[in-house]
Amino acid sequence: MDELRIGLIGTGAIGRTHIERINGRLRGGRVVACSDVNTAFGREVAGRYGCEFFEDGEALAASDGVDAVIVTTVDEYHEKYVLAAIHAGKYVFCEKPLAPKPEACRRIMEAEMAGGRKLLQVGFMRRYDAAYNQLKKAVHSGKYGLPLMVHCAHRVPSVPDYYDTPMAVENSLIHEIDILRWLLGEDYAEVQVVFAKKTRYSNEHLHSPQIMRLKTESGIQIDVEAFICCRYAYDIKCEVCCEDGIVSLPDPSLVVERHAASCAHPLYEDWTDRFEEAYNVEIQAWLDASREGRVDGPTAWDGYLGQVTAQAASQSRDTQTTVTIPRQEKPAFYL
Ligand SMILES: NC(=O)c1ccc[n+]([C@@H]2O[C@H](COP(=O)([O-])OP(=O)(O)OC[C@H]3O[C@@H](n4cnc5c(N)ncnc54)[C@H](O)[C@@H]3O)[C@@H](O)[C@H]2O)c1
C-alpha cells in the first residue's frame, strides 16, 4: 500500500494536531476524511485540510475510501467508533483513555479477538518519548540493581473550568498508570489516592493536588503527585530508586539563560510542546505498522488494564481507602 487513506473522527484539539502531523510531516499516510458531531465545525476543518466530511463517524469507518481510522472524540464515544473500525476490519488508533469504563474496554477486546487479529493501538504516546525509553533501558540494564521505589510528578500549570477532581486520575494520571507499568514491566496490586492541601488556584470542582500511591505485584512502591494548576510550568518527573543507584528523567534540554544575575533553565509551558516529538514518533509507528499489516505499541489489553487501575484509583479517592486491584488474566491473543 503506497499511502494509507485515513479517516479521523473528532476534529477537536488533538484531532487537528494529528491531521497536521500526518498531512504535513509524517510519511506513508494522508487524512482524507473526517467527522465530528459538531458538523459546522467539522465541515470547516474538512475544508481547511482538504478532507471529505462525513456526518456519521460510523459511516466514515465503513467507507471504502478509508483504509484506517483515528478516533479523537471525547472519551465517551471512543468505544462506538473503535468498534465500527474493528467491525470493518480496519486498523484503528484511539486516543487515550481507550474508554472511560473497563467493561467498555473489554467489549473492544472481545470484538478484536472475535475478528481474529489485532487492529487497535491506544494513544499512550509517552511510550514513544526518547527520555522514557532511555530510562527504561537504564532500569533494565541491571547496572543499578532492582527498582525499589519510584517518585513521579505530573504538574500542569492551568486547566479549563470543566476540569474536575476525577479528571486528575482519569485523564492525567492515566498516563503514569500506563507508562510506569511499561517502564517496570509489572502489573499493579493496590492503589491509594489522597488529597494534599488544596491550592487556591483550583476551581470549585477540582481538588488539587492529589497524590496517587501504587504498589506493584513485586512490592515496588510508587508515588505520583498530580499537581494540576501548579502555575509555574508543565513539568513531568520520574525518578526510579534502585538498589545500587538512582535513574531519572532529565529536565528538558532547552537553552540555558544567563541574564540579570541568574542562570535559568526554561521548562515547557504545556503538554503539546513536551511530547511533540513523542506524538510524531507514535503516529509514524502506527502508520508504518498499519501499512505492514501489524499493530505497534499499546494494545487494547493495555487500554483495559489502564482503566481497571484508574477505576480502582477513583474508588480509593472517593472512599479515602487503599483499594486492591483485581488480578487480570491476559488472554493468549494479547501475549
Ligand atoms: N495522548 C494525549 O496526551 C492526549 C492529549 C489530549 C487529548 N487526548 C484525548 O483525545 C481525545 C480528544 O481530546 P481533545 O483535547 O482533542 O478534546 P476536544 O474537546 O478538543 O475535541 C473532541 C472533539 O470530539 C467531538 N465529538 C464529541 N462527541 C462526538 C461524537 N459522538 N462523534 C463525533 N465527534 C464527537 C467534539 O465535537 C470535539 O470536536 C480525548 O479522549 C482526550 O483524552 C489525549
Side-chain angles (χ1 to χ4, degrees):
M1 188 179 297
D2 285 345
E3 197 172 62
L4 211 58
R5 296 167 304 166
I6 296 158
L8 179 140
I9 310 170
T11 56
I14 200 157
R16 294 195 305 281
T17 71
H18 288 335
I19 298 177
E20 283 170 13
R21 79 181 82 252
I22 291 170
N23 289 6
R25 300 192 284 286
L26 305 182
R27 304 170 309 276
R30 177 146 208 93
V31 179
V32 297
C34 66
S35 179
D36 197 286
V37 74
N38 181 344
T39 51
F41 175 65
R43 276 184 206 289
E44 190 265 303
V45 172
R48 205 187 310 166
Y49 297 106
C51 303
E52 181 183 356
F53 182 74
F54 284 69
E55 286 203 2
D56 177 355
E58 287 171 300
L60 174 149
S63 165
D64 286 342
V66 164
D67 302 315
V69 177
I70 295 182
V71 179
T72 47
T73 64
V74 293
D75 307 348
E76 290 74 9
Y77 300 100
H78 289 182
E79 177 188 8
K80 169 177 163 178
Y81 297 122
V82 167
L83 286 177
I86 290 173
H87 289 143
K90 293 179 185 172
Y91 288 103
V92 51
F93 175 91
C94 179
E95 265 305 341
K96 66 82 207 164
L98 177 52
K101 296 272 176 259
E103 306 83 70
C105 300
R106 214 171 236 297
R107 287 193 287 272
I108 291 170
M109 287 196 299
E110 278 159 11
E112 208 178 27
M113 288 190 278
R117 65 195 177 109
K118 289 196 200 95
L119 292 170
L120 172 70
Q121 177 176 335
V122 182
F124 287 124
M125 80 296 177
R126 289 193 190 183
R127 294 187 184 206
Y128 296 89
D129 178 67
Y132 271 112
N133 276 279
Q134 286 167 19
L135 187 59
K136 182 170 181 168
K137 204 168 160 195
V139 168
H140 292 277
S141 67
K143 187 172 165 189
Y144 310 100
L146 291 176
L148 310 172
M149 299 177 284
V150 186
H151 307 299
C152 304
H154 186 139
R155 299 185 185 138
V156 179
S158 61
V159 284
D161 280 346
Y162 61 78
Y163 193 103
D164 61 10
T165 298
M167 289 179 80
V169 166
E170 289 150 24
N171 289 76
S172 297
L173 293 184
I174 188 71
H175 280 297
E176 270 77 13
I177 288 172
D178 179 71
I179 199 70
L180 297 171
R181 208 184 117 248
W182 170 86
L183 179 71
L184 298 168
E186 279 191 41
D187 290 340
Y188 304 120
E190 64 178 41
V191 62
Q192 182 188 20
V193 176
V194 295
F195 295 122
K197 182 173 173 175
K198 183 173 170 175
T199 166
R200 70 180 190 277
Y201 298 115
S202 303
N203 65 47
E204 60 182 301
H205 323 289
L206 170 64
H207 191 114
S208 178
Q210 301 177 28
I211 299 169
M212 176 173 70
R213 184 186 62 76
L214 287 158
K215 186 164 115 181
T216 69
E217 288 183 332
S218 79
I220 301 170
Q221 285 283 357
I222 300 167
D223 54 86
V224 190
E225 166 199 312
F227 190 178
I228 312 300
C229 302
C230 73
R231 307 279 285 185
Y232 75 95
Y234 179 80
D235 202 6
I236 300 298
K237 303 183 93 60
C238 180
E239 180 183 76
V240 186
C241 301
C242 304
E243 292 165 308
D244 294 304
I246 290 173
V247 279
S248 51
L249 284 185
D251 278 334
S253 52
L254 301 176
V255 69
V256 174
E257 300 169 344
R258 284 184 161 74
H259 176 69
S262 82
C263 179
H265 186 120
L267 298 171
Y268 290 109
E269 289 183 13
D270 69 27
W271 52 274
T272 47
D273 297 330
R274 168 62 182 86
F275 288 110
E276 170 64 17
E277 192 48 27
Y279 289 117
N280 289 337
V281 177
E282 171 193 51
I283 300 293
Q284 186 64 63
W286 177 71
L287 291 171
D288 293 346
S290 301
R291 289 171 72 216
E292 289 162 18
R294 58 184 175 83
V295 168
D296 187 274
T299 63
W301 173 252
D302 298 306
Y304 169 69
L305 273 196
Q307 291 318 114
V308 168
T309 308
Q311 189 175 58
S314 297
Q315 188 189 338
S316 165
R317 179 198 59 234
D318 293 343
T319 56
Q320 291 291 291
T321 56
T322 298
V323 174
T324 300
I325 300 172
R327 199 171 197 304
Q328 307 290 321
E329 279 312 314
K330 193 174 191 174
F333 183 83
Y334 291 105
L335 290 176

